[in-house]
Structure formats: structure tokens, C-alpha cells
Amino acid sequence: MNGEAAAPMVGAPMVEAKALVKRFGDVEAVRGIDVQVRTGEAFGFLGPNGAGKSSTMRMIASTSPRSDGDLRVLGMDPDVDGPRIRARLGSVPQQDTLDTELTLRQNLQIYGRYFGMSRADVRRKATELMEFAQLSERADGLVDALSGGMKRRLTIARSLVNDPDLLLLDEPTTGLDPQARHMLWDRLFRLKAGGVTLIITSHYMDEVEQLCDRLVVMDDGRIVAEGSPSELIARYSTREVLELRFAPGEQGGIAARVAEFGERVEELPDRVLVYTGDGERALEQVHGRDVRPVSSLVRRSTLEDVFLRLTGRTLVD
Amino acid sequence: MAPTTSATTRDATPTASARRGLLLRMLPAPLYTGRARALLERSAMVYSRAWLVFVSGVVEPLLYLLAFQVGFGKLVEEVTGPGGETMSYVAFVAPALLAASAMNGAVFDSTFNVFFKFRYNKTYDAMLATPLGPLDIALGEIGWAVLRGGLYAVAFLGVMAGFGLATSPWALLLVPVALLVSFAFAAIGMVCATFLKSPAQFDFVQLAVMPMFLLSTTFYPLSVYPEPLQYAVQCLPLYHGVELTRGLAVGVLDVSMIGHVAYLLVLAAAGAYFTAKRLAGLLLR
Ligand SMILES: Nc1ncnc2c1ncn2[C@@H]1O[C@H](COP(=O)(O)OP(=O)(O)OP(=O)(O)O)[C@@H](O)[C@H]1O
Ligand SMILES: [Mg+2]
């Protein structure tokens, strides 16, 4: 990008997309995006429903041909070298594709066999990954009997069977309870420390802030911002945010009355947000103006605010 | 990285594969990576819990055979078989039943099983996220149907021999013919399965298979049809399977058999190829 030597570039970038486009009939899901993911970094795609995250991920996973533009994954062209690329990828699709006719253990073993691993290798790996997913006791049960979160964990475990160089995670933590989420984050950190490149899509701001070195914000098939989480917050938001909630029907006109107390004010259906360097001071000023919210909250800016600023919409309701 | 283990894993990349078969060199890499065997392993895993299906598959055609032996055999004494020889009706029908059961097994395997994996279970989506290509999937699934067909054919042939219905050593070739018939029908069945939208549409499959079973000279010789109909019957794939099995069972061979084999081979190849194309078109969007 701007030449800053953040992570040392080892050879070619993991993923390089130029003017990448994906069309489904008349629908243009991805409208010409430029992305570069470096070896060893954790990269995020953030965006609302229908932004084109999954479409992009599937093109990178070499399971969906691009409609236009240029794409290199691991230095290769997915149209030509799909199988060689996929041999080095791990992929967690948005929707689980577990084999419901097999047991958990068999799921992991046969998946390894698809990658051409030896029987001995897949047996060892399956046991290890079952441990990782904390599903060892269910190893010989069928997949259908698992809860949604357990299935997700198994899908994630399965994506690691071939010791991938690049791991693609499309909303990996949907359906996971907080404990499982943190367990996964911890495991992803360790994979990254081991040199695995991660690409993650998510609706969860905290997830992206925690995990990603860099991210792009996507909206309607386009990239609207790019940078590290802290860079984006610094560039597009203020240090603090004052949230004001009002009784139903009393919010009308408030935004205009408090506008002068912040650099920017956003009005959401259920609250008014005042963007300012000093939230407490702004709250005092609001009270001084005789505005009486039911509740108020001062917090630090997050990527959610960045997103709101960039697209005029909230990411999660 | 330990060089030994990494060698086994990394050689997995298709181009590094030492064993590059003819298909691998002919077909573009994204379509086929030479690992269809992994699907056979998967099927073996699945059926290790459902082996009873195999038993029923072996028993069913045998019941037919028995019915003809003790029933029809009494009503219809003799018919004119291959080469103009007269033969018992059971001996006439038995090889045709072998071909028909190869067809039925293959069609069932490749429509029902494939449909649910393809439409509902996303089994193939998962596979296509690995180095496997659509033709690996097609060949792997067809291969399983062929294995099953082969197993049934061996059992059937054994019983035929026991009844004294296989009178020529050529009858041993019934097994490879059954494999070929299975392959052809599994391949065609799998293409059709990719067009089915709901389980109710399996009736269409039955609608195609049932008349084929009854009309492909299974139960009476081609000569009973009026001439124009004869041509129509000769277009049916099962007809060619039946001609082969019937001839081989009594050791009456002729050059037309090359034509029958060629017909089934073309069907098999075309089926596998179009299955792969359909899977790619539908799943790799
Ligand atoms: N297979 C498909 N056929 C037709 N249209 C599709 C297909 N897949 C995606 N789309 C369309 O492409 C657009 C982008 O979808 P995509 O799944 O990439 O979004 P997303 O960012 O992953 O959304 P979400 O957060 O809901 O997962 C949507 O308008 C969607 O309807
Ligand atoms: Mg998505």
C-alpha cells in the first residue's frame, strides 16, 4: 500500500486481487475490489449482509470462478491451478458442509484423504483435531446429533486437517458460545504465530479488532476503507462516543440540539450518538442544555462507528 | 517440518503426483486430480454401517430367477436363443436379469444417493473445497455403483451356474459386462440426478427405467417386435447389455458384440464427462 514496512514480505503476497469482480446473472456481488494479503498476517473483511464478503472468500478459496479482474492466490491463478491452491488452503465456509453420513472422526479422516494424506496421517490428525475442537467424547457419534456450535467447531477443525498455509474463515464464530469463541481466537492466534495467514470475515467488531492486523470494510460489493483497526478508528471516528437513549417518541429533534457538542452526531432509531474527544464533557454540556436522556453511556470508538460513518448504516442491529 | 511426513502430505499436490495416468494428462487440472478413490473410501465408510443393503441387492434378482425357474419355466418350455439354438426359458431370461439388475442397482445408487448428497447435504461442496475436482467426484460415485454392481453380478452368476444356466466358460465375462452396464447406467443416472429438483421427481427416473427393463428383450427375443419397433428397442441402452450377457452365457459370440460394448462405453464416458460438467456448473459458481 503506502510502503510502510509493517510485516516483512516473504516472496509473493498470499492473495492479490486487482479489480476483482463477481457477478451472479444481473447481480454484481463484488464490484472491482483491490486487495493484497501479506504472508503471515491476519486480514479481515468487515461488512453488512450482502456486501460481497462470502463471494470474495469463495473466489479466493478457488471454488468460485471470478467474473472479471485479476486474482492470485499463493502466487497462482485459481482458474488454472485451483487444485494446487486448494491443497494448501483451509476453508471454513459460511454454512457448514459436514458429511452427515459419517461420524465426527470419519469426517476428519476422509477429509484428509481428499487432500491425499496417508491413512496413518489422517488417523493421527483426526485424534489431534478432535481434541482441539473439544469433541473427543463424541468422536464416534454422527454429525447430525451435534449442536450448531459443535458443528461449527468441527468444521473449523476439519479446515486444519491439511496444515494449511492460508486459512479462510467465513464468519467462523457464528453460533459459538462466548467460551468457544475465545477458545477459537486463542487457537487462531497460535496458528498465526506459527506462520499461517488468516483471512476472516465477520459481523463481530470485537472479533475483527482482536484478530486482524488489517481489514477492509466492504459495502455493496465495494471496499470503502482499508487499514488496521486502530488506523481506521483514528481516521474515521473520534476517540470517544457519547450514547444517549430516550423514552420512546422523545428522540425527535434531539440530534440538532446536541450537534454542537461533538464533531459529529448520528441519529439511530433507538439512540443518538455524539462523536467527541471527551465524552464526559459532552454529557455535561448535554445536561446543561436541559436534554434529559433515559440513559447515557460514554465509550471508546469501535469499528462499528467507523462503519456507521462510512456507510450510514449499522453493521449489526 | 519432518521431511518424511511432509513428503506424504505435500506430494498430495496433484502435479507433484508421481502417478499421472492418461486421464490426468488429457484433462484440465481443475476438472480432475486423479483422486476418485477417496470417494470409494468414503462410500465404504458409509456402507460399513449399512451392509444390509448389499444383502438385499444380492437377494432381489435371485428371487426373480427363482420365480422364473419354478414358475414361468413350466409355462414356456423353450425359446430360440442366440445363434438360433433352442434353450430353456429360464436360461434365456437369466443373463438378461443379470444385466437388468446391474442397471437397476446403478441407477438407484447414482440417482437417490447422489441427489441427497448434492441437493441437501452439501457433500460435494465440501469435496470441491479440497483438491478434488468434479470429475473425481463423478468417477468416485460411479465407481462405487460399479463395485456394487460387480458384487451382485458375481453372486448372480454363481447361482446361475448352480442352476446350470451358464453353460459356457465365456459366461465368466458376464461379470465385466455387468461392470460396464453398471458404469454406463450410473453415469447416465448421475447426470439425471443433477437435473432433479425434488424427491418427487424420482418418479421420472422410474418412468424411464421400468419400460427399459420390460422392453429391452429381457423377457422375449427382439423378433417378436414389428420391424420399426425393433429399431427403437435397439436404441435402448439395456438392450445392448442384454445382448452381451445372453450371448456370453451360452458362448455364442459374434462381431456385433463389439458394437454393443462400444455403445455402452460411449454412454459411460459421456455420462461421466457431463456429470462432471454439471457438477462444476452448479457447485463451482
Ligand atoms: N450463488 C449465488 N447466486 C446468486 N446470487 C448470489 C449468490 N451468492 C451470492 N449472491 C448475491 O451476491 C450478493 C453478495 O452476497 P455474499 O454472500 O457475498 O454477501 P456477504 O457479504 O457474505 O453477506 P452475509 O453477511 O449475509 O454473509 C448478494 O446480493 C447475494 O444475493
Ligand atoms: Mg457471507
Side-chain angles (χ1 to χ4, degrees):
Chain A
M1 290 185 338
N2 47 14
E4 56 184 339
M9 294 273 284
V10 187
M14 270 286 160
V15 177
E16 193 165 27
K18 287 193 190 114
L20 184 62
V21 172
K22 182 72 202 182
R23 275 182 228 104
F24 297 102
D26 293 340
V27 181
E28 211 169 27
V30 178
R31 304 168 182 241
I33 60 170
D34 296 320
V35 175
Q36 214 183 67
V37 181
R38 301 170 192 141
T39 303
E41 80 176 333
F43 190 89
F45 285 93
L46 190 62
N49 292 142
K53 305 183 295 295
S54 297
S55 304
T56 307
M57 289 293 259
R58 294 191 58 240
M59 285 191 279
I60 296 173
S62 309
T63 55
S64 167
R66 62 179 182 268
S67 308
D68 213 340
D70 198 33
L71 179 63
R72 302 264 138 190
V73 183
L74 296 147
M76 292 177 273
D77 179 348
D79 284 350
V80 181
D81 283 316
R84 286 176 70 193
I85 295 172
R86 295 197 299 268
R88 292 171 57 192
L89 289 189
S91 170
V92 176
Q94 186 166 2
Q95 289 184 324
D96 293 326
T97 55
L98 295 168
D99 199 323
T100 50
E101 293 180 278
L102 299 177
T103 66
L104 277 64
R105 184 189 301 282
Q106 287 174 330
N107 257 280
L108 298 176
Q109 290 184 346
I110 198 67
Y111 212 67
R113 296 288 290 158
Y114 298 156
F115 283 93
M117 293 163 64
S118 75
R119 287 197 181 80
D121 278 353
V122 298
R123 263 199 301 276
R124 184 179 45 73
K125 202 76 194 172
T127 304
E128 181 190 314
L129 288 172
M130 219 97 65
E131 200 66 40
F132 154 69
Q134 299 184 340
L135 289 168
S136 299
E137 309 94 85
R138 319 279 301 238
D140 297 308
L142 285 174
V143 166
D144 268 338
L146 297 180
S147 77
M150 290 175 179
K151 284 183 188 160
R152 204 67 189 142
R153 268 151 47 195
L154 185 63
T155 301
I156 293 163
R158 190 183 67 174
S159 73
L160 298 173
V161 84
N162 60 330
D163 291 322
D165 297 328
L166 171 61
L167 187 57
L168 303 172
L169 302 132
D170 197 349
E171 302 190 23
T173 58
T174 13
L176 295 191
D177 62 29
Q179 195 203 338
R181 266 180 98 196
H182 283 100
M183 184 193 85
L184 177 66
W185 291 1
D186 172 63
R187 180 63 192 228
L188 292 179
F189 275 126
R190 276 192 274 158
L191 285 172
K192 187 171 168 251
V196 178
T197 307
L198 305 175
I199 304 183
I200 303 161
T201 80
S202 183
H203 292 139
Y204 298 113
M205 246 49 63
D206 53 346
E207 188 158 295
V208 175
E209 280 188 50
Q210 286 274 332
L211 290 176
C212 296
D213 304 315
R214 281 190 318 132
L215 65 124
V216 291
V217 179
M218 277 189 88
D219 187 29
D220 199 19
R222 293 198 178 80
I223 289 175
V224 289
E226 173 172 358
S228 71
S230 53
E231 273 170 15
L232 287 174
I233 292 168
R235 198 179 324 150
Y236 294 103
S237 192
T238 52
R239 207 170 67 87
E240 291 189 323
V241 186
L242 169 62
E243 293 201 4
L244 303 170
R245 285 178 191 272
F246 296 88
E250 285 182 17
Q251 191 176 303
I254 298 286
R257 286 173 63 195
V258 301
E260 65 190 277
F261 306 133
E263 292 174 25
R264 198 162 55 83
V265 172
E266 289 280 356
E267 187 170 4
L268 301 182
D270 60 338
R271 58 194 195 253
V272 174
L273 305 181
V274 182
Y275 288 92
T276 166
D278 186 346
E280 290 299 338
R281 216 179 97 77
L283 182 59
E284 278 168 28
Q285 291 171 320
V286 165
H287 284 151
R289 190 56 63 86
D290 211 26
V291 172
R292 296 283 164 223
V294 179
S295 68
S296 61
L297 165 75
V298 174
R299 59 166 176 82
R300 295 177 47 126
S301 271
T302 67
L303 285 175
E304 168 88 55
D305 301 298
V306 173
F307 188 80
L308 184 62
R309 168 73 187 278
L310 289 169
T311 67
R313 280 182 289 134
T314 47
L315 201 46
V316 266
D317 305 305
Chain B
M1 265 201 280
T4 43
T5 55
S6 77
T8 49
T9 340
R10 288 308 171 204
D11 265 0
T13 54
T15 46
S17 169
R19 208 174 48 81
R20 281 176 68 82
L22 183 66
L23 271 181
L24 267 182
R25 269 179 271 126
M26 274 165 48
L27 295 164
L31 202 60
Y32 182 61
T33 54
R35 221 170 271 155
R37 212 158 28 127
L39 272 95
L40 296 182
E41 268 178 54
R42 180 194 172 276
S43 297
M45 277 180 180
V46 172
Y47 281 92
S48 65
R49 276 190 308 280
W51 53 269
L52 217 65
V53 178
F54 282 95
V55 177
S56 80
V58 171
V59 168
E60 195 190 281
L62 296 186
L63 287 178
Y64 269 107
L65 201 57
L66 215 59
F68 280 102
Q69 176 82 328
V70 300
F72 276 94
K74 298 258 152 38
L75 295 173
V76 191
E77 301 268 290
E78 284 184 336
V79 285
T80 311
E85 296 170 48
T86 54
M87 61 201 300
S88 79
Y89 187 59
V90 196
F92 178 80
V93 171
L97 284 179
L98 186 144
S101 86
M103 170 186 82
N104 279 324
V107 168
F108 179 85
D109 251 355
S110 63
T111 53
F112 259 104
N113 291 347
V114 165
F115 175 79
F116 287 102
K117 282 185 232 172
F118 167 72
R119 281 277 162 206
Y120 299 120
N121 292 346
K122 295 189 187 292
T123 313
Y124 302 141
D125 294 80
M127 291 176 184
L128 290 172
T130 74
L132 293 181
L135 190 60
D136 294 286
I137 295 176
L139 292 180
E141 295 292 49
I142 293 166
W144 181 252
V146 171
L147 278 184
R148 248 169 100 162
L151 195 73
Y152 297 167
V154 169
F156 197 94
L157 186 60
V159 175
M160 270 176 72
F163 284 167
L165 301 173
T167 54
S168 156
W170 288 105
L172 280 176
L173 287 183
L174 289 189
V175 174
V177 168
L179 296 181
L180 178 58
V181 171
S182 297
F183 198 119
F185 278 99
I188 295 301
M190 203 165 164
V191 180
C192 295
T194 65
F195 285 97
L196 297 181
K197 296 274 179 329
S198 76
Q201 294 181 336
F202 281 115
D203 290 346
F204 293 134
V205 176
Q206 279 309 306
L207 213 60
V209 169
M210 205 52 197
M212 185 124 63
F213 174 54
L214 294 174
L215 302 179
S216 300
T217 70
T218 321
F219 299 106
Y220 35 80
L222 187 64
S223 54
V224 302
Y225 291 108
E227 201 178 310
L229 265 185
Q230 287 189 9
Y231 291 118
V233 168
Q234 282 176 312
C235 293
L236 298 176
L238 182 59
Y239 166 78
H240 300 273
V242 169
E243 282 299 297
L244 284 169
T245 52
R246 187 166 281 152
L248 289 169
V250 292
V252 178
L253 313 190
D254 65 71
V255 280
S256 72
M257 284 187 165
I258 296 171
H260 299 312
V261 170
Y263 183 103
L264 292 170
L265 279 177
V266 168
L267 212 59
Y273 181 75
F274 285 111
T275 299
K277 281 288 173 199
R278 284 285 298 166
L279 289 179
L282 290 166
L283 301 179
L284 298 175
R285 281 187 304 162

